[in-house]
Amino acid sequence: MKGNVMVWMVVRLIFSFIASAVLGVALMYATMMVAFQLSTRFDILNGIARALESTFGIQAFMVLGTLFYFGLVLTFFEWRKYRYLAQVHRAVGEIAEGRYDRKVPVKNNSEVAEIAVSVNRLVERLLSSMEEERRAEQAKNELITNVSHDLRTPLTSVIGYLGLIEQDRYRDEVELRYYVQIAYAKSQRLNVLIQDLFDYTRLRHEGASLRLEQLNLVELLGQLLEQYRLSMEEVGLQAKLQAEDKRLLIPGDAGKLVRVFENLISNAVKYGSGGTKVDVRLKREAGYAVVDITNDGEPIPEVDLPHIFDRFYRVDKSRTESSGGSGLGLAICKSIVERHNGAIEALSRNGETTFRVRLPVVV
């Protein structure tokens, strides 16, 4: 593209010079003919012509006249380009002063248009970069605010109960052990929050490399369901795995994908209030392995579905910290799946909630 523009500029410049030279000679010849005719009729013009001829010589006079017309015609041909360059210069000057909403005018019949297009593209990228930086700063501030809030509650409890123990403000050993148990539970929650925050931040900044290997997704999910079978039976849930094939190979990091499906299955167990089942269905679809993890029971409100994978977002704002999780689990799942070039979404309708994961299969 740049080479074509350069060739076009050279061709146009050569054409302008040739056309200007030809027209300059023609105009000079016409001027001499008119001047000769007028000098034969008017003595004053005849005197001026003889004076110029004696001073410069007829040949030098014609050369000077031709150069004058050449410059005049060339200026006429190039005037539009000079005017367009002035418009570009004004627009670039305004952009340099901070008016990023200003666009450089683009004229397709000018070689300068390529410069205008590049400047506009540069401004668009600058605006996009500034917007991304603004969003990143906002996200960082929100992250700090949410982390501070979520860490403060269990930390306050830990400090409070340890303070009671340190001041011997307990009646007997039973109450002492009760205080220690609460402090220990709160400290465990702190550990979960910090670990989730660390994992989320590392995944978002791609600091954790993937150890890819061929995984049989059917076998992996079967093993996970077996691990959760007892906890599901305790709350009256039945697990069922349905797969079109016995082998569905995907390239993936086993540890990270196990975390994804553990989170989704545990969410189905934890939040499927009033439900009776957790169904896991696998199928191959257009080069992807599609996993649907479905539970019946309490649905997710439609207004919450677009935000379900946002960090620190909780559907039920009234959940206690012991049952509400860190608010980072689904955000971590989304980051892991996307790093595997996959996608994850949530659907909730007809009394069922489904988390759908798409992952590329082994070609």
Side-chain angles (χ1 to χ4, degrees):
M1 186 64 182
K2 294 180 179 179
N4 294 337
V5 172
M6 182 62 68
V7 171
W8 167 243
M9 289 177 65
V10 172
V11 170
R12 178 168 176 171
L13 184 62
I14 293 174
F15 173 79
S16 298
F17 270 94
I18 294 174
S20 299
V22 172
L23 287 174
V25 172
L27 288 172
M28 187 60 205
Y29 179 77
T31 300
M32 291 295 294
M33 295 298 295
V34 172
F36 177 76
Q37 293 293 331
L38 292 176
S39 65
T40 58
R41 296 184 180 183
F42 301 98
D43 292 338
I44 187 172
L45 294 178
N46 187 30
I48 293 174
R50 289 182 180 279
L52 291 173
E53 182 180 356
S54 61
T55 303
F56 298 102
I58 188 64
Q59 292 180 347
F61 181 75
M62 292 184 67
V63 169
L64 290 174
T66 301
L67 290 175
F68 170 77
Y69 282 119
F70 171 78
L72 191 65
V73 173
L74 185 61
T75 302
F76 174 78
F77 280 148
E78 298 296 311
W79 174 251
R80 290 174 56 191
K81 183 173 75 174
Y82 296 145
R83 185 174 60 182
Y84 180 42
L85 280 173
Q87 294 175 355
V88 172
H89 181 268
R90 283 196 300 271
V92 171
E94 292 177 3
I95 292 171
E97 292 176 358
R99 289 187 54 187
Y100 300 119
D101 58 333
R102 185 76 163 89
K103 293 289 186 181
V104 180
V106 178
K107 294 184 178 180
N108 294 328
N109 60 345
S110 172
E111 61 272 12
V112 185
E114 191 70 19
I115 298 176
V117 170
S118 298
V119 172
N120 288 336
R121 189 181 300 119
L122 176 64
V123 172
E124 289 175 359
R125 290 184 177 178
L126 177 62
L127 287 173
S128 177
S129 177
M130 291 172 61
E131 179 63 21
E132 288 180 4
E133 184 177 352
R134 185 192 66 79
R135 287 198 297 265
E137 184 67 21
Q138 182 180 359
K140 183 182 72 175
N141 293 335
E142 291 176 356
L143 184 65
I144 292 172
T145 301
N146 290 325
V147 168
S148 300
H149 177 269
D150 279 10
L151 293 180
R152 182 173 55 190
T153 302
L155 182 60
T156 300
S157 296
V158 170
I159 293 174
Y161 282 104
L162 290 180
L164 293 175
I165 295 172
E166 195 273 336
Q167 298 169 20
D168 296 329
R169 295 173 59 184
Y170 52 89
R171 290 188 297 269
D172 49 32
E173 185 177 350
V174 174
E175 192 171 56
L176 170 63
R177 292 183 63 83
Y178 174 69
Y179 289 169
V180 171
Q181 181 183 3
I182 293 178
Y184 178 68
K186 299 296 182 181
S187 63
Q188 282 185 316
R189 172 157 177 78
L190 272 175
N191 182 60
V192 171
L193 287 170
I194 293 171
Q195 186 60 44
D196 283 351
L197 177 63
F198 173 74
D199 290 342
Y200 174 76
T201 305
R202 184 176 56 173
L203 287 167
R204 289 289 293 176
H205 292 84
E206 299 185 352
S209 59
L210 297 178
R211 298 180 179 179
L212 298 179
E213 56 181 309
Q214 287 193 10
L215 303 174
N216 183 357
L217 202 54
V218 179
E219 181 180 334
L220 185 148
L221 288 169
Q223 292 175 355
L224 286 178
L225 285 180
E226 189 62 32
Q227 294 176 15
Y228 279 90
R229 188 172 301 280
L230 288 178
S231 59
M232 289 183 185
E233 291 177 353
E234 290 177 358
V235 294
L237 293 174
Q238 290 186 346
K240 183 167 59 175
L241 176 63
Q242 301 175 1
E244 295 179 350
D245 304 309
K246 292 184 178 180
R247 285 173 59 85
L248 192 54
L249 298 180
I250 64 168
D253 186 313
K256 291 183 173 57
L257 288 179
V258 164
R259 178 165 187 174
V260 170
F261 293 115
E262 278 184 343
N263 190 290
L264 296 179
I265 294 173
S266 64
N267 276 353
V269 175
K270 188 185 301 183
Y271 302 136
S273 176
T276 60
K277 64 177 182 177
V278 175
D279 290 338
V280 179
R281 292 184 289 271
L282 289 88
K283 63 180 179 179
R284 185 190 298 264
E285 185 178 278
Y288 284 85
V290 180
V291 182
D292 285 350
I293 299 177
T294 303
N295 66 277
D296 55 357
E298 183 181 356
I300 299 175
E302 186 175 352
V303 68
D304 291 313
L305 282 174
H307 310 287
I308 197 72
F309 296 101
D310 294 349
R311 63 186 183 279
F312 298 111
Y313 190 86
R314 295 187 178 94
V315 174
D316 187 354
K317 310 302 186 295
S318 65
R319 282 178 184 155
T320 64
E321 64 179 41
S322 61
S323 64
S326 67
L328 288 171
L330 291 178
I332 292 173
C333 289
K334 185 172 186 288
S335 295
I336 293 175
V337 171
E338 288 180 348
R339 291 204 60 199
H340 282 80
N341 299 316
I344 185 172
E345 61 179 329
L347 310 168
S348 191
R349 55 176 179 262
N350 301 327
E352 292 186 340
T353 297
T354 298
F355 283 92
R356 177 169 295 163
V357 178
R358 294 176 179 270
L359 294 167
V361 297
V362 174
V363 179

